[in-house]
PDB file of all heavy atoms in Angstrom:
ATOM      1  N   GLU I  48     139.662  39.798 123.567  1.00  0.00           N
ATOM      2  CA  GLU I  48     138.511  39.141 124.103  1.00  0.00           C
ATOM      3  C   GLU I  48     138.840  37.903 124.860  1.00  0.00           C
ATOM      4  O   GLU I  48     138.354  36.779 124.677  1.00  0.00           O
ATOM      5  CB  GLU I  48     137.595  38.769 122.881  1.00  0.00           C
ATOM      6  CG  GLU I  48     138.346  38.069 121.767  1.00  0.00           C
ATOM      7  CD  GLU I  48     137.439  37.989 120.475  1.00  0.00           C
ATOM      8  OE1 GLU I  48     136.661  38.881 120.264  1.00  0.00           O
ATOM      9  OE2 GLU I  48     137.518  36.889 119.888  1.00  0.00           O
ATOM     10  N   ILE I 225     132.967  17.131  95.146  1.00  0.00           N
ATOM     11  CA  ILE I 225     133.249  18.520  95.577  1.00  0.00           C
ATOM     12  C   ILE I 225     134.092  19.228  94.512  1.00  0.00           C
ATOM     13  O   ILE I 225     133.934  20.385  94.163  1.00  0.00           O
ATOM     14  CB  ILE I 225     133.905  18.634  96.957  1.00  0.00           C
ATOM     15  CG1 ILE I 225     132.966  18.077  97.952  1.00  0.00           C
ATOM     16  CG2 ILE I 225     134.373  20.022  97.271  1.00  0.00           C
ATOM     17  CD1 ILE I 225     133.583  17.984  99.430  1.00  0.00           C
ATOM     18  N   LEU I 227     134.227  18.549  91.267  1.00  0.00           N
ATOM     19  CA  LEU I 227     133.362  18.815  90.147  1.00  0.00           C
ATOM     20  C   LEU I 227     132.566  20.080  90.332  1.00  0.00           C
ATOM     21  O   LEU I 227     132.387  20.896  89.475  1.00  0.00           O
ATOM     22  CB  LEU I 227     132.481  17.651  89.790  1.00  0.00           C
ATOM     23  CG  LEU I 227     133.167  16.394  89.351  1.00  0.00           C
ATOM     24  CD1 LEU I 227     132.141  15.268  89.167  1.00  0.00           C
ATOM     25  CD2 LEU I 227     133.801  16.660  87.926  1.00  0.00           C
ATOM     26  N   ILE I 254     128.830  55.114  77.135  1.00  0.00           N
ATOM     27  CA  ILE I 254     128.628  55.902  78.327  1.00  0.00           C
ATOM     28  C   ILE I 254     129.436  57.199  78.258  1.00  0.00           C
ATOM     29  O   ILE I 254     129.012  58.258  78.577  1.00  0.00           O
ATOM     30  CB  ILE I 254     129.010  55.080  79.603  1.00  0.00           C
ATOM     31  CG1 ILE I 254     128.098  53.918  79.745  1.00  0.00           C
ATOM     32  CG2 ILE I 254     128.951  55.992  80.849  1.00  0.00           C
ATOM     33  CD1 ILE I 254     128.455  52.948  80.887  1.00  0.00           C
ATOM     34  N   GLY I 354     139.778  50.894  73.585  1.00  0.00           N
ATOM     35  CA  GLY I 354     139.222  51.102  74.828  1.00  0.00           C
ATOM     36  C   GLY I 354     140.106  50.649  76.006  1.00  0.00           C
ATOM     37  O   GLY I 354     140.317  51.335  77.005  1.00  0.00           O
ATOM     38  N   TYR I 361     144.961  55.898  80.961  1.00  0.00           N
ATOM     39  CA  TYR I 361     144.290  56.862  81.866  1.00  0.00           C
ATOM     40  C   TYR I 361     144.470  56.507  83.285  1.00  0.00           C
ATOM     41  O   TYR I 361     144.807  57.462  84.161  1.00  0.00           O
ATOM     42  CB  TYR I 361     142.788  56.920  81.404  1.00  0.00           C
ATOM     43  CG  TYR I 361     141.914  57.756  82.328  1.00  0.00           C
ATOM     44  CD1 TYR I 361     142.198  59.166  82.408  1.00  0.00           C
ATOM     45  CD2 TYR I 361     140.885  57.209  82.984  1.00  0.00           C
ATOM     46  CE1 TYR I 361     141.418  59.941  83.223  1.00  0.00           C
ATOM     47  CE2 TYR I 361     140.085  58.075  83.808  1.00  0.00           C
ATOM     48  CZ  TYR I 361     140.327  59.369  83.913  1.00  0.00           C
ATOM     49  OH  TYR I 361     139.518  60.184  84.712  1.00  0.00           O
ATOM     50  N   PRO I 397     157.845  47.420  86.071  1.00  0.00           N
ATOM     51  CA  PRO I 397     159.094  46.677  86.388  1.00  0.00           C
ATOM     52  C   PRO I 397     159.341  45.609  85.246  1.00  0.00           C
ATOM     53  O   PRO I 397     158.455  45.068  84.659  1.00  0.00           O
ATOM     54  CB  PRO I 397     158.888  46.015  87.727  1.00  0.00           C
ATOM     55  CG  PRO I 397     157.713  46.735  88.314  1.00  0.00           C
ATOM     56  CD  PRO I 397     156.866  47.224  87.170  1.00  0.00           C
ATOM     57  N   ILE I 448     151.702  48.906  68.443  1.00  0.00           N
ATOM     58  CA  ILE I 448     151.119  47.801  67.782  1.00  0.00           C
ATOM     59  C   ILE I 448     151.401  47.945  66.280  1.00  0.00           C
ATOM     60  O   ILE I 448     151.243  49.001  65.707  1.00  0.00           O
ATOM     61  CB  ILE I 448     149.577  47.791  67.955  1.00  0.00           C
ATOM     62  CG1 ILE I 448     149.319  47.595  69.428  1.00  0.00           C
ATOM     63  CG2 ILE I 448     148.920  46.725  67.128  1.00  0.00           C
ATOM     64  CD1 ILE I 448     147.874  47.755  69.787  1.00  0.00           C
TER      65      ILE I 448
END
Side-chain angles (χ1 to χ4, degrees):
E48 47 188 41
I225 295 174
L227 290 174
I254 295 172
Y361 174 62
I448 297 171

